[in-house]
Amino acid sequence: MSTVTISRRGEDRARAGHPWIYRSDVIGADAAAGDLVQVQTERGRPIGYALFSDESEITLRLIAFGPTAPAEDFIERRLAAAIAFRASLAPDATAYRLVHGEADRLPSLIVDRYGDHLVVQALSQGTDRRLPEITAALVKLLSPAGILARNDPRVRLLEGLEQTVTVLHGEVPERLEVREGAVRYQVDPWKGQKTGLFLDQRENREAAARYARGRLLDAFSYNGGFALSLAPRCESVLAVDISADAVARIRENAASNGIANVEVREMNVFDELRELERTGARFETIVLDPPAFAKSKGAIRKAMSGYKEINLRALKLLTPGGFLVTCSCSYNVSEEMFLEVVSEAAADAGAEVSLVEKRAQGRDHPILINVPETYYLKCLILRKLA
Ligand code: SAH
């Protein structure tokens, strides 16, 4: 096994429990793409074991801290542990995340379950190289009807890996049906956003359902995750998304679930909020679930003004006593920053607002307390005081 030597700064980071070592903290490496390597300090003290990348800025992803090497079959063991944890959560759904990368000690590996099918993403060289072993272990543990590798995210380019979508096992149709609570969805695992659905919002949809009532505005609705699960509790629903595909999917999902009170508009939310304000529309419940506005640190300032604008307009459209479910999935925008921007929006809207629930991504997407990057989704449930 090759050995990689890291700097004092890299050592400090690892000792603080962070599994990533950056290229700038690597002093010497004689390893090949995707190798499992031993990591040590300049003085030869063992730090742990890691998967090596010869392209990414994240050169090492630690899979074990300390002097003991991971077991031969660590992949299968960790997959089994991740799957057992999800089973213990007893999700009221047939679609949820089984493996969430670093948070399951399987760096850069995503495994999502869609009923009898699995969708996998391998986002680093080390994980990509081990896909045959990962596939074999998943087949052994879960006997899925099919496994799809949705290896098309752009981050793969940072690893020098190609963007491909391929079947790893069995068969994977273009349409899968899954259930989330009482709602059935048609999912396109081949082309849908992420691996097909925004599974990280499932528990937030459940939470939002406890407050939803009256007229609902679901802004950035994708295939209608919030709109359809909240519709039975609301008089009327207006779902807005800029994507024609998403809009078609909501209509289809609403019809197949027999949900008749949902109106769908293919619109830019920024324009639609302005238009709703102009026409004096009001809502008792509003959901804002935009895409990550700050995909990089450089985009933070612009992102903040985007969050400010939509939250300000939503708070104006909200009736007194109404609920705003507002989300940010930018990990570059911290919880503190998001709370601050929403507070500014409330002040500018002249609204007194209380924080009813402070939430994150669902428990099937665990947050590692020593890895701030893993806390990416913030979801605030707010109430505009009457
Ligand atoms: N709420 C959804 C997930 C939303 S993902 C769920 O629970 O499943 C973000 C969505 O915002 C995507 O569907 C994307 O098409 C849409 N979108 C991005 N920019 C937009 C804009 N300016 N106006 C309207 N929709 C937008």
Side-chain angles (χ1 to χ4, degrees), residues 98-146:
L98 287 173
V99 179
H100 188 56
E102 279 72 355
D104 287 294
R105 304 179 73 212
L106 290 163
S108 49
L109 176 66
I110 301 297
V111 183
D112 287 339
R113 159 176 256 160
Y114 289 95
D116 296 333
H117 291 80
L118 303 177
V119 182
V120 169
Q121 294 184 319
L123 305 176
S124 70
Q125 292 175 353
T127 304
D128 189 66
R129 202 168 108 183
R130 286 165 184 78
L131 271 179
E133 185 184 345
I134 291 164
T135 303
L138 288 171
V139 169
K140 179 173 162 196
L141 294 165
L142 296 165
S143 318

Side-chain angles (χ1 to χ4, degrees), residues 193 197-199 201 205 218-226 240-243 246 267-270 287-293:
Q193 294 196 41
L197 283 184
F198 287 84
L199 303 172
Q201 287 284 30
R205 294 192 269 263
D218 178 15
F220 306 96
S221 44
Y222 186 48
N223 68 348
F226 281 96
V240 182
D241 201 285
I242 205 165
S243 142
M267 281 289 290
N268 184 326
V269 166
F270 286 86
V287 176
L288 295 175
D289 184 19
F293 285 160

Side-chain angles (χ1 to χ4, degrees), residues 10 13 44 117 163 177 187 220 236 245 279 313 343:
R13 212 175 148 74
H117 291 80
Q163 291 177 282
E177 188 178 284
V187 181
F220 306 96
S236 61
D245 254 15
T279 58
R313 293 194 192 278
S343 309

Side-chain angles (χ1 to χ4, degrees), residues 116-332:
D116 296 333
H117 291 80
L118 303 177
V119 182
V120 169
Q121 294 184 319
L123 305 176
S124 70
Q125 292 175 353
T127 304
D128 189 66
R129 202 168 108 183
R130 286 165 184 78
L131 271 179
E133 185 184 345
I134 291 164
T135 303
L138 288 171
V139 169
K140 179 173 162 196
L141 294 165
L142 296 165
S143 318
I147 304 180
L148 185 70
R150 261 305 286 276
N151 279 334
D152 52 348
R154 289 187 57 83
V155 287
R156 286 200 22 126
L157 301 177
L158 304 176
E159 296 275 339
L161 299 168
E162 53 175 352
Q163 291 177 282
T164 64
V165 181
T166 50
V167 173
L168 297 174
H169 169 79
E171 278 178 35
V172 182
E174 275 171 27
R175 285 297 169 95
L176 295 173
E177 188 178 284
V178 298
R179 180 186 64 78
E180 207 186 270
V183 186
R184 294 188 175 278
Y185 295 93
Q186 295 293 321
V187 181
D188 179 349
W190 290 79
K191 296 203 194 76
Q193 294 196 41
K194 295 236 218 178
T195 60
L197 283 184
F198 287 84
L199 303 172
D200 50 5
Q201 287 284 30
R202 182 174 44 81
E203 294 184 347
N204 294 330
R205 294 192 269 263
E206 288 171 4
R210 296 197 283 267
Y211 310 99
R213 62 201 170 78
R215 293 158 289 185
L216 165 69
L217 170 62
D218 178 15
F220 306 96
S221 44
Y222 186 48
N223 68 348
F226 281 96
L228 300 177
S229 57
L230 307 187
R233 297 172 184 273
C234 298
E235 278 155 37
S236 61
V237 181
L238 174 59
V240 182
D241 201 285
I242 205 165
S243 142
D245 254 15
V247 165
R249 202 58 66 78
I250 305 175
R251 292 207 173 106
E252 193 184 307
N253 285 330
S256 65
N257 282 281
I259 300 175
N261 60 344
V262 180
E263 186 197 337
V264 192
R265 290 187 195 154
E266 184 186 329
M267 281 289 290
N268 184 326
V269 166
F270 286 86
D271 298 336
E272 180 66 12
L273 288 174
R274 216 171 293 131
E275 184 60 14
L276 289 167
E277 200 176 314
R278 200 183 60 76
T279 58
R282 287 291 177 273
F283 298 90
E284 280 71 34
T285 313
I286 299 179
V287 176
L288 295 175
D289 184 19
F293 285 160
K295 293 220 164 69
S296 66
K297 288 228 166 16
I300 291 178
R301 190 199 288 256
K302 183 140 181 282
M304 295 304 267
S305 86
Y307 288 123
K308 170 90 175 276
E309 176 170 347
I310 58 175
N311 282 283
L312 170 62
R313 293 194 192 278
L315 284 165
K316 287 189 185 166
L317 293 172
L318 201 62
T319 55
F323 291 92
L324 171 62
V325 180
T326 184
C327 310
S328 164
C329 58
S330 307
Y331 79 81
N332 289 305

